[in-house]
Amino acid sequence: MLGPGDSERVAELMRETAAAELTPRFRMLAKEDIRLKRPGDFVTVADELSEQRLASGLAKILPGVPVVGEEAAERDPRLVDLIARPGEACWIVDPLDGTANFAAGKDRFAMIVCLVQDRIAVAGWILDVPRGHMAAALRGQGVTLDGVEVPARVPTRPPIGYVGFKVRKELDRQLAPAQRRMLGRVSTLNCAGAEYHEMLAGRADFNFYRMTRPWDHAAGTLMLREAGGVAVRFDGEPYSPAQPLNVGLIAAVSPKTIGEVQAVFDAVRLPLLAGLPKA
């Protein structure tokens, strides 16, 4: 579907959009530029303008292919249904991943674009905006980070990963010290795109999400798979951008890592993990 040079065009569009809409507004937002969509979920004028610019540019790269943007889907939730159309294509866009960080002046935010064809992610891009790092993947062709191919790897240390605050609290509360040492450091960056960059760069090994919004995970899970990793729902089925939001996700840089993480979570009373297969 993408022609020669189109992947580079998407990457350049993202860099141009970040330079025009995000970077100039970082730590420069007025109070009226930030609002709550719902408790704990922020949106800023930068999100909205970035999405508009991306949608316009992507329409020129693949005319006629619809764009499912996070902010547009907030206004019209039916847009998400476009992702699940058999045989059809759409773009999935997170114009500013890590909005709460951005609004608070913290430099952990990203921009994510994914192309879906027949319910499957076929191309993905994640731009670490503050640092300028770009990850890009084409299905079946591997993944690159700043133009360098990301190799498959199997960590030999206890897995380092990203979990939400409530899950981390339960790990610390329920696990015996020996069990807890089976995992390395767990934390959250409050930015899925930044977390996937950390995994691709070899600095982390897994992530865990109860809710799986497609603009957060469609591109990153494609990238992990292209680097030999795994992404599954809590019921053991492969992750898909078209899946319901509440079936969960655990993604890791290798099948072995999934198994190690599973062994630890099996000891914790987290009902949503029931059925997750051992690798």
Side-chain angles (χ1 to χ4, degrees):
M1 167 166 274
L2 290 173
D6 282 345
S7 179
E8 291 76 14
R9 291 175 66 193
V10 174
E12 184 58 29
L13 171 65
M14 293 171 68
R15 292 189 184 280
E16 291 174 351
T17 300
E21 308 296 354
L22 301 186
T23 304
R25 293 182 171 87
F26 182 48
R27 296 173 177 159
M28 298 295 290
L29 293 173
K31 186 177 296 186
E32 59 268 22
D33 293 332
I34 308 168
R35 61 181 175 83
L36 275 174
K37 293 188 282 189
R38 61 186 64 83
D41 193 359
F42 291 89
V43 64
T44 74
V45 64
D47 295 74
E48 295 166 338
L49 293 175
S50 176
E51 183 165 301
Q52 292 170 16
R53 185 180 287 260
L54 286 170
S56 177
L58 293 171
K60 296 174 183 176
I61 295 172
L62 289 181
V65 174
V67 175
V68 180
E70 178 180 6
E71 306 314 325
E74 178 71 20
R75 296 187 295 271
D76 182 2
R78 295 172 299 177
L79 280 175
V80 177
D81 296 339
L82 297 177
I83 301 170
R85 296 180 305 164
E88 300 293 329
C90 72
W91 297 101
I92 304 175
V93 170
D94 192 336
L96 175 50
D97 181 44
T99 299
N101 291 343
F102 183 89
K106 300 176 182 178
D107 68 346
R108 279 294 190 179
F109 55 95
M111 181 183 293
I112 307 175
V113 174
C114 185
L115 179 62
V116 169
Q117 173 69 44
D118 195 20
R119 301 159 55 99
I120 296 171
V122 296
W125 301 260
I126 301 178
L127 175 63
D128 178 341
V129 177
R131 296 158 189 80
H133 298 311
M134 175 70 76
L138 297 176
R139 188 168 183 255
Q141 299 182 43
V143 55
T144 61
L145 183 58
D146 292 334
V148 178
E149 185 173 356
V150 177
R153 66 182 179 90
V154 180
T156 56
R157 66 195 175 202
I160 294 169
Y162 301 106
V163 303
F165 171 76
K166 291 181 180 179
V167 175
R168 182 174 55 183
K169 185 176 179 180
E170 289 304 306
L171 291 173
D172 292 338
R173 185 178 72 86
Q174 296 187 37
L175 293 177
Q179 292 173 309
R180 179 61 187 84
R181 286 194 294 271
M182 294 171 64
L183 287 182
R185 184 182 68 253
V186 293
S187 60
T188 180
L189 299 180
N190 292 316
C191 175
E195 293 175 3
Y196 285 111
H197 263 259
E198 291 296 289
M199 286 189 274
L200 293 171
R203 293 186 288 268
D205 309 310
F206 76 94
N207 66 5
F208 168 95
Y209 279 84
R210 292 176 180 270
M211 298 296 291
T212 56
R213 295 174 177 85
W215 35 83
D216 289 332
H217 300 290
T221 53
L222 169 65
M223 291 173 181
L224 286 185
R225 285 170 173 157
E226 288 297 311
V230 183
V232 294
R233 302 169 6 160
F234 290 167
D235 62 7
E237 293 297 312
Y239 168 83
S240 164
Q243 73 181 37
L245 300 185
N246 63 351
V247 296
L249 167 69
I250 183 167
V253 298
S254 74
K256 179 176 181 289
T257 304
I258 282 274
E260 292 171 344
V261 173
Q262 166 77 21
V264 176
F265 278 114
D266 276 350
V268 181
R269 290 185 293 276
L270 292 173
L272 285 178
L273 282 176
L276 188 67
K278 292 180 173 65

